[in-house]
Amino acid sequence: VDGLHQKAGSEAVMELHGSSHRVGCMHCRSVTPRVALQRRLVAENHWWLRQAGVGSAHLQARIDPAQQRPDGDTEMRISKHDLQKFRVPACEVCGVGILKPSVTFFGDIVPEERARRAKEAALSTDLFIVVGSTVSTYSAFRLVVSAAESGAAVLVLNDGDTRCERDGVPHFKMQTRCADVLPRLVADLARRSGHRVPVARSMPHVPRKWTAETAG
């Protein structure tokens, strides 16, 4: 959801859970860039921002880092009176819709067409790689299950347990930091395919310890 794959140069990216760089209207379903909403938020609340001291040490003192949630929300120690003065822009297309990030949050459902395309991709691959994820959410885990049941090899690179172990999905597991192993994996694949890929001169040591997890 963070757009880092595209920033790294990936082109064929399927954003299963959407993107935090876009905003969708819950009424007319129109989609606009998140940065455009940010400009509207600032324009309609410039007086509030000055009063609240946004960007100042005074405001930072009222933000508790321990209260920052995984989705980026932050608990602020600010009065209800001041908070009620904050203006939230409505959808510019329909004028009435509530705007939200174009992200599938916990409890939401992945759009049907996107889920269908993701499953088709999982069923058609011969190698499914899980990188830096516990695949705890079912919308992602069911893709791993589909790939495994269709005969694909499942490779898990994660520094910690995943749902694959808990639910007995057959897979190969390398328990290590992704930043340590991926450069070597890319370099090896490039060497085998005859392509040249720039790799950092100083490579971290990666323990060559693999485990095979099988169902039952």
Side-chain angles (χ1 to χ4, degrees):
V1 300
D2 50 24
L4 292 180
H5 282 286
Q6 292 89 330
K7 190 173 183 179
S10 300
E11 297 178 356
V13 178
M14 185 183 301
E15 295 170 315
L16 181 65
H17 294 131
S19 172
S20 59
H21 292 271
R22 297 188 296 271
V23 176
C25 174
M26 299 180 69
H27 179 71
C28 69
R29 304 302 178 186
S30 62
V31 178
T32 55
R34 173 64 178 82
V35 66
L37 175 60
Q38 183 65 29
R39 287 194 291 265
R40 294 178 63 201
L41 283 167
V42 172
E44 296 188 26
N45 294 283
H46 57 88
W47 58 272
W48 188 92
L49 298 175
R50 287 198 303 269
Q51 179 178 316
V54 170
S56 68
H58 174 64
L59 178 66
Q60 293 302 316
R62 288 190 284 170
I63 298 178
D64 184 357
Q67 296 299 320
Q68 185 164 353
R69 303 185 180 97
D71 59 6
D73 287 351
T74 301
E75 191 72 29
M76 295 176 57
R77 292 188 291 273
I78 193 167
S79 71
K80 185 177 180 180
H81 175 72
D82 287 340
L83 188 60
Q84 288 177 335
K85 295 180 181 179
F86 189 85
R87 297 175 182 173
V88 180
C91 173
E92 286 189 304
V93 177
C94 67
V96 296
I98 296 175
L99 302 174
K100 69 177 286 291
S102 295
V103 171
T104 301
F105 290 104
F106 288 102
D108 289 344
I109 299 175
V110 175
E112 184 177 349
E113 175 61 18
R114 191 187 305 162
R116 182 190 64 78
R117 290 189 292 111
K119 184 174 182 178
E120 287 181 352
L123 291 173
S124 64
T125 188
D126 55 5
L127 174 62
F128 194 107
I129 305 178
V130 177
V131 179
S133 173
T134 62
V135 286
S136 294
T137 59
Y138 186 68
S139 55
F141 179 67
R142 64 185 174 188
L143 298 178
V144 184
V145 174
S146 294
E149 290 180 344
S150 68
V154 176
L155 169 61
V156 177
L157 305 176
N158 193 60
D159 190 10
D161 293 336
T162 73
R163 189 167 178 175
C164 293
E165 290 95 88
R166 296 194 298 271
D167 286 24
V169 176
H171 66 285
F172 291 94
K173 170 80 176 291
M174 190 172 198
Q175 187 153 323
T176 184
R177 295 178 64 252
C178 300
D180 291 342
V181 72
L182 281 181
R184 291 184 181 275
L185 180 60
V186 171
D188 185 60
L189 291 174
R191 184 171 60 253
R192 292 171 183 269
S193 63
H195 291 82
R196 293 179 59 85
V197 177
V199 180
R201 292 181 180 179
S202 178
M203 285 285 198
H205 172 69
V206 180
R208 295 184 177 278
K209 181 180 179 181
W210 296 80
T211 61
E213 303 284 349
T214 58

